[in-house]
Amino acid sequence: MRQLKTASMKTLMEMLRLSTWGRALPPETLARVAGEMTESAVPAGGDVARMGEPVTHWTGVIEGVVKMSVSSPQGKVSTLTGVIAGGWFGEGSLAKREPRRYDVIALRDTRVALMPRHTFERLRAESLSFNDFLFQLLNARLAHFISMLEQDRLLGPDERVARCLASLFNTDLYPLALSPHVDLQQAEIGLLSGVSRQRANQALQALQEAGLVRLERRGVTVLDLPALRGYSAPH
DNA sequence: CCATTAAACACCC
DNA sequence: GGGTGTTTAATGG
């Protein structure tokens, strides 16, 4: 993982200004925080973090997509969830001072923002709004995982893909999702939904047929988010 | 049986 | 060439 000095500060700063917690901080506090953070560029397929490593930073995705996965000793890989631009992760392991519980891998060329532990802990000690944000984030993540477990057990592939797409518009997890366009390949949507690429393609076509999304060369545009959230496949 | 998937295929920007 | 759509053979519930 290549470490960059805060040279491309502009985009990192942009991301902080757009983030829910960054907006709530006084400008001088945010400026100090930004000065303590670094940015890292990870090529597609590269590791952002590995399971078992000590957690030294809280991490935000500036650009790109990462997936969190675990693997069995036999080498089987299970994707837990993905994080798109605007999302933050690692606060749990950071707070618990435990090794990273999963692998974090870039699905494409990705840039992440890294907040050192001491900065994270200072914010927690000094800023009520930052703690409020973390509480919201943890709550949203818990709801997200419970929802995914439920979907995995109760829903078919078309519905899982629909819910997965809809979850990308969860503003607690991804405050940057302002446009209805999802910049993910069908293979990536498959990974995050837990279905194969061609099954994801089939599901997306069914959703397009139902008028909920429009398929594009690179990505999907959501036309009816509420309907996507509640989609149930005809059978 | 039926659905899913991995692999391989042909389009097409 | 990479992403998308489709077919085929194998697999498993």
Side-chain angles (χ1 to χ4, degrees), chain A residues 40-70:
Chain A
S40 170
V42 184
D47 296 330
V48 177
R50 293 305 303 263
M51 179 161 42
E53 285 177 348
V55 179
T56 57
H57 294 81
W58 189 42
T59 312
V61 178
I62 302 172
E63 180 183 31
V65 199
V66 303
K67 69 160 193 187
M68 287 152 180
S69 58
V70 290

mmCIF file of all heavy atoms in Angstrom, chain A residues 40-70:
data_model
loop_
_atom_site.group_PDB
_atom_site.id
_atom_site.type_symbol
_atom_site.label_atom_id
_atom_site.label_comp_id
_atom_site.label_asym_id
_atom_site.label_seq_id
_atom_site.Cartn_x
_atom_site.Cartn_y
_atom_site.Cartn_z
ATOM 1 N N SER A 40 -4.074 7.208 0.797
ATOM 2 C CA SER A 40 -3.373 6.068 0.232
ATOM 3 C C SER A 40 -4.076 5.617 -1.037
ATOM 4 O O SER A 40 -5.301 5.539 -1.077
ATOM 5 C CB SER A 40 -3.351 4.937 1.262
ATOM 6 O OG SER A 40 -2.893 3.746 0.665
ATOM 7 N N ALA A 41 -3.300 5.346 -2.067
ATOM 8 C CA ALA A 41 -3.861 4.862 -3.327
ATOM 9 C C ALA A 41 -3.639 3.366 -3.420
ATOM 10 O O ALA A 41 -2.528 2.884 -3.212
ATOM 11 C CB ALA A 41 -3.201 5.570 -4.503
ATOM 12 N N VAL A 42 -4.700 2.619 -3.692
ATOM 13 C CA VAL A 42 -4.621 1.166 -3.777
ATOM 14 C C VAL A 42 -5.100 0.734 -5.157
ATOM 15 O O VAL A 42 -6.211 1.084 -5.555
ATOM 16 C CB VAL A 42 -5.499 0.498 -2.700
ATOM 17 C CG1 VAL A 42 -5.320 -1.018 -2.730
ATOM 18 C CG2 VAL A 42 -5.166 1.041 -1.318
ATOM 19 N N PRO A 43 -4.274 -0.006 -5.898
ATOM 20 C CA PRO A 43 -4.694 -0.453 -7.229
ATOM 21 C C PRO A 43 -5.781 -1.517 -7.140
ATOM 22 O O PRO A 43 -5.938 -2.154 -6.091
ATOM 23 C CB PRO A 43 -3.406 -1.040 -7.825
ATOM 24 C CG PRO A 43 -2.608 -1.463 -6.639
ATOM 25 C CD PRO A 43 -2.927 -0.467 -5.551
ATOM 26 N N ALA A 44 -6.527 -1.705 -8.211
ATOM 27 C CA ALA A 44 -7.573 -2.729 -8.261
ATOM 28 C C ALA A 44 -6.998 -4.078 -7.858
ATOM 29 O O ALA A 44 -5.940 -4.479 -8.336
ATOM 30 C CB ALA A 44 -8.170 -2.800 -9.658
ATOM 31 N N GLY A 45 -7.683 -4.749 -6.951
ATOM 32 C CA GLY A 45 -7.227 -6.054 -6.493
ATOM 33 C C GLY A 45 -6.261 -5.992 -5.326
ATOM 34 O O GLY A 45 -5.937 -7.014 -4.729
ATOM 35 N N GLY A 46 -5.783 -4.790 -4.996
ATOM 36 C CA GLY A 46 -4.812 -4.631 -3.920
ATOM 37 C C GLY A 46 -5.451 -4.644 -2.542
ATOM 38 O O GLY A 46 -6.662 -4.488 -2.399
ATOM 39 N N ASP A 47 -4.617 -4.833 -1.536
ATOM 40 C CA ASP A 47 -5.100 -4.879 -0.157
ATOM 41 C C ASP A 47 -5.169 -3.477 0.431
ATOM 42 O O ASP A 47 -4.203 -2.734 0.370
ATOM 43 C CB ASP A 47 -4.137 -5.708 0.709
ATOM 44 C CG ASP A 47 -4.090 -7.157 0.269
ATOM 45 O OD1 ASP A 47 -5.121 -7.633 -0.240
ATOM 46 O OD2 ASP A 47 -3.037 -7.791 0.414
ATOM 47 N N VAL A 48 -6.293 -3.140 1.012
ATOM 48 C CA VAL A 48 -6.394 -1.928 1.820
ATOM 49 C C VAL A 48 -5.997 -2.280 3.254
ATOM 50 O O VAL A 48 -5.330 -1.521 3.947
ATOM 51 C CB VAL A 48 -7.820 -1.351 1.781
ATOM 52 C CG1 VAL A 48 -7.943 -0.139 2.688
ATOM 53 C CG2 VAL A 48 -8.195 -0.981 0.345
ATOM 54 N N ALA A 49 -6.411 -3.464 3.697
ATOM 55 C CA ALA A 49 -6.047 -3.954 5.021
ATOM 56 C C ALA A 49 -6.225 -5.471 5.024
ATOM 57 O O ALA A 49 -7.020 -6.011 4.265
ATOM 58 C CB ALA A 49 -6.925 -3.315 6.093
ATOM 59 N N ARG A 50 -5.470 -6.138 5.884
ATOM 60 C CA ARG A 50 -5.569 -7.590 5.950
ATOM 61 C C ARG A 50 -6.046 -8.031 7.322
ATOM 62 O O ARG A 50 -5.752 -7.391 8.330
ATOM 63 C CB ARG A 50 -4.204 -8.235 5.670
ATOM 64 C CG ARG A 50 -3.705 -8.036 4.251
ATOM 65 C CD ARG A 50 -4.690 -8.508 3.215
ATOM 66 N NE ARG A 50 -5.053 -9.898 3.384
ATOM 67 C CZ ARG A 50 -4.496 -10.902 2.710
ATOM 68 N NH1 ARG A 50 -3.553 -10.660 1.830
ATOM 69 N NH2 ARG A 50 -4.884 -12.145 2.906
ATOM 70 N N MET A 51 -6.774 -9.138 7.308
ATOM 71 C CA MET A 51 -7.231 -9.724 8.552
ATOM 72 C C MET A 51 -6.032 -10.032 9.451
ATOM 73 O O MET A 51 -4.997 -10.491 8.973
ATOM 74 C CB MET A 51 -8.005 -11.008 8.231
ATOM 75 C CG MET A 51 -8.528 -11.741 9.425
ATOM 76 S SD MET A 51 -9.854 -12.903 9.007
ATOM 77 C CE MET A 51 -9.258 -13.665 7.510
ATOM 78 N N GLY A 52 -6.178 -9.752 10.736
ATOM 79 C CA GLY A 52 -5.123 -10.067 11.694
ATOM 80 C C GLY A 52 -4.145 -8.940 11.937
ATOM 81 O O GLY A 52 -3.413 -8.971 12.918
ATOM 82 N N GLU A 53 -4.120 -7.972 11.047
ATOM 83 C CA GLU A 53 -3.213 -6.836 11.233
ATOM 84 C C GLU A 53 -3.711 -5.930 12.357
ATOM 85 O O GLU A 53 -4.915 -5.818 12.576
ATOM 86 C CB GLU A 53 -3.147 -5.997 9.950
ATOM 87 C CG GLU A 53 -2.327 -6.613 8.844
ATOM 88 C CD GLU A 53 -2.371 -5.751 7.579
ATOM 89 O OE1 GLU A 53 -3.208 -4.830 7.495
ATOM 90 O OE2 GLU A 53 -1.563 -6.006 6.690
ATOM 91 N N PRO A 54 -2.783 -5.263 13.036
ATOM 92 C CA PRO A 54 -3.219 -4.252 14.005
ATOM 93 C C PRO A 54 -3.920 -3.108 13.270
ATOM 94 O O PRO A 54 -3.560 -2.772 12.145
ATOM 95 C CB PRO A 54 -1.909 -3.773 14.642
ATOM 96 C CG PRO A 54 -0.823 -4.201 13.719
ATOM 97 C CD PRO A 54 -1.322 -5.412 12.991
ATOM 98 N N VAL A 55 -4.939 -2.561 13.905
ATOM 99 C CA VAL A 55 -5.704 -1.482 13.281
ATOM 100 C C VAL A 55 -5.153 -0.158 13.787
ATOM 101 O O VAL A 55 -5.251 0.153 14.974
ATOM 102 C CB VAL A 55 -7.193 -1.606 13.618
ATOM 103 C CG1 VAL A 55 -7.981 -0.468 12.976
ATOM 104 C CG2 VAL A 55 -7.728 -2.956 13.140
ATOM 105 N N THR A 56 -4.556 0.603 12.899
ATOM 106 C CA THR A 56 -3.905 1.846 13.309
ATOM 107 C C THR A 56 -4.660 3.085 12.858
ATOM 108 O O THR A 56 -4.372 4.182 13.322
ATOM 109 C CB THR A 56 -2.474 1.914 12.739
ATOM 110 O OG1 THR A 56 -2.555 1.800 11.305
ATOM 111 C CG2 THR A 56 -1.619 0.782 13.267
ATOM 112 N N HIS A 57 -5.614 2.892 11.942
ATOM 113 C CA HIS A 57 -6.327 4.042 11.393
ATOM 114 C C HIS A 57 -7.817 3.758 11.247
ATOM 115 O O HIS A 57 -8.231 2.615 11.089
ATOM 116 C CB HIS A 57 -5.789 4.401 10.000
ATOM 117 C CG HIS A 57 -4.383 4.884 9.985
ATOM 118 N ND1 HIS A 57 -3.307 4.016 10.030
ATOM 119 C CD2 HIS A 57 -3.863 6.137 9.947
ATOM 120 C CE1 HIS A 57 -2.189 4.733 10.007
ATOM 121 N NE2 HIS A 57 -2.491 6.015 9.953
ATOM 122 N N TRP A 58 -8.580 4.830 11.264
ATOM 123 C CA TRP A 58 -9.958 4.787 10.796
ATOM 124 C C TRP A 58 -9.898 5.149 9.318
ATOM 125 O O TRP A 58 -9.141 6.046 8.923
ATOM 126 C CB TRP A 58 -10.785 5.809 11.565
ATOM 127 C CG TRP A 58 -12.260 5.728 11.350
ATOM 128 C CD1 TRP A 58 -13.015 4.599 11.280
ATOM 129 C CD2 TRP A 58 -13.160 6.832 11.201
ATOM 130 N NE1 TRP A 58 -14.333 4.922 11.114
ATOM 131 C CE2 TRP A 58 -14.446 6.283 11.049
ATOM 132 C CE3 TRP A 58 -13.011 8.223 11.182
ATOM 133 C CZ2 TRP A 58 -15.577 7.082 10.887
ATOM 134 C CZ3 TRP A 58 -14.130 9.010 11.022
ATOM 135 C CH2 TRP A 58 -15.401 8.446 10.866
ATOM 136 N N THR A 59 -10.681 4.453 8.500
ATOM 137 C CA THR A 59 -10.488 4.565 7.056
ATOM 138 C C THR A 59 -11.751 5.015 6.342
ATOM 139 O O THR A 59 -12.840 4.508 6.616
ATOM 140 C CB THR A 59 -10.037 3.201 6.481
ATOM 141 O OG1 THR A 59 -8.975 2.682 7.267
ATOM 142 C CG2 THR A 59 -9.570 3.351 5.035
ATOM 143 N N GLY A 60 -11.606 5.951 5.423
ATOM 144 C CA GLY A 60 -12.717 6.407 4.596
ATOM 145 C C GLY A 60 -12.391 6.221 3.129
ATOM 146 O O GLY A 60 -11.243 6.378 2.717
ATOM 147 N N VAL A 61 -13.381 5.857 2.334
ATOM 148 C CA VAL A 61 -13.166 5.675 0.896
ATOM 149 C C VAL A 61 -13.430 7.005 0.187
ATOM 150 O O VAL A 61 -14.547 7.511 0.213
ATOM 151 C CB VAL A 61 -14.083 4.570 0.331
ATOM 152 C CG1 VAL A 61 -13.887 4.439 -1.179
ATOM 153 C CG2 VAL A 61 -13.811 3.246 1.014
ATOM 154 N N ILE A 62 -12.371 7.569 -0.403
ATOM 155 C CA ILE A 62 -12.505 8.830 -1.127
ATOM 156 C C ILE A 62 -13.052 8.561 -2.525
ATOM 157 O O ILE A 62 -13.938 9.250 -3.017
ATOM 158 C CB ILE A 62 -11.142 9.543 -1.248
ATOM 159 C CG1 ILE A 62 -10.547 9.793 0.142
ATOM 160 C CG2 ILE A 62 -11.287 10.839 -2.020
ATOM 161 C CD1 ILE A 62 -9.129 10.320 0.089
ATOM 162 N N GLU A 63 -12.503 7.532 -3.143
ATOM 163 C CA GLU A 63 -12.848 7.224 -4.526
ATOM 164 C C GLU A 63 -12.664 5.729 -4.732
ATOM 165 O O GLU A 63 -11.699 5.157 -4.231
ATOM 166 C CB GLU A 63 -11.903 8.005 -5.455
ATOM 167 C CG GLU A 63 -12.133 7.790 -6.917
ATOM 168 C CD GLU A 63 -11.107 8.545 -7.760
ATOM 169 O OE1 GLU A 63 -9.965 8.720 -7.312
ATOM 170 O OE2 GLU A 63 -11.477 8.971 -8.864
ATOM 171 N N GLY A 64 -13.593 5.086 -5.461
ATOM 172 C CA GLY A 64 -13.456 3.666 -5.732
ATOM 173 C C GLY A 64 -14.406 2.831 -4.877
ATOM 174 O O GLY A 64 -15.370 3.341 -4.314
ATOM 175 N N VAL A 65 -14.118 1.546 -4.794
ATOM 176 C CA VAL A 65 -14.932 0.604 -4.024
ATOM 177 C C VAL A 65 -14.024 -0.401 -3.340
ATOM 178 O O VAL A 65 -13.059 -0.857 -3.934
ATOM 179 C CB VAL A 65 -15.872 -0.232 -4.942
ATOM 180 C CG1 VAL A 65 -17.003 -0.840 -4.139
ATOM 181 C CG2 VAL A 65 -16.387 0.575 -6.099
ATOM 182 N N VAL A 66 -14.338 -0.743 -2.105
ATOM 183 C CA VAL A 66 -13.636 -1.846 -1.457
ATOM 184 C C VAL A 66 -14.658 -2.882 -1.002
ATOM 185 O O VAL A 66 -15.835 -2.567 -0.839
ATOM 186 C CB VAL A 66 -12.809 -1.384 -0.228
ATOM 187 C CG1 VAL A 66 -11.814 -0.305 -0.626
ATOM 188 C CG2 VAL A 66 -13.718 -0.888 0.895
ATOM 189 N N LYS A 67 -14.205 -4.099 -0.850
ATOM 190 C CA LYS A 67 -15.075 -5.120 -0.277
ATOM 191 C C LYS A 67 -14.412 -5.697 0.951
ATOM 192 O O LYS A 67 -13.187 -5.792 1.024
ATOM 193 C CB LYS A 67 -15.372 -6.218 -1.297
ATOM 194 C CG LYS A 67 -14.175 -7.062 -1.635
ATOM 195 C CD LYS A 67 -14.555 -8.391 -2.225
ATOM 196 C CE LYS A 67 -13.327 -9.292 -2.226
ATOM 197 N NZ LYS A 67 -13.435 -10.544 -2.879
ATOM 198 N N MET A 68 -15.246 -6.073 1.918
ATOM 199 C CA MET A 68 -14.738 -6.741 3.102
ATOM 200 C C MET A 68 -15.070 -8.209 2.974
ATOM 201 O O MET A 68 -16.196 -8.578 2.650
ATOM 202 C CB MET A 68 -15.414 -6.176 4.340
ATOM 203 C CG MET A 68 -14.910 -4.802 4.669
ATOM 204 S SD MET A 68 -16.156 -3.876 5.513
ATOM 205 C CE MET A 68 -15.281 -2.357 5.735
ATOM 206 N N SER A 69 -14.070 -9.031 3.222
ATOM 207 C CA SER A 69 -14.308 -10.460 3.080
ATOM 208 C C SER A 69 -13.523 -11.225 4.131
ATOM 209 O O SER A 69 -12.555 -10.719 4.697
ATOM 210 C CB SER A 69 -13.910 -10.928 1.679
ATOM 211 O OG SER A 69 -12.551 -10.639 1.437
ATOM 212 N N VAL A 70 -13.968 -12.429 4.374
ATOM 213 C CA VAL A 70 -13.246 -13.345 5.246
ATOM 214 C C VAL A 70 -12.962 -14.598 4.443
ATOM 215 O O VAL A 70 -13.658 -14.895 3.469
ATOM 216 C CB VAL A 70 -14.066 -13.715 6.502
ATOM 217 C CG1 VAL A 70 -14.174 -12.521 7.432
ATOM 218 C CG2 VAL A 70 -15.453 -14.211 6.116
#
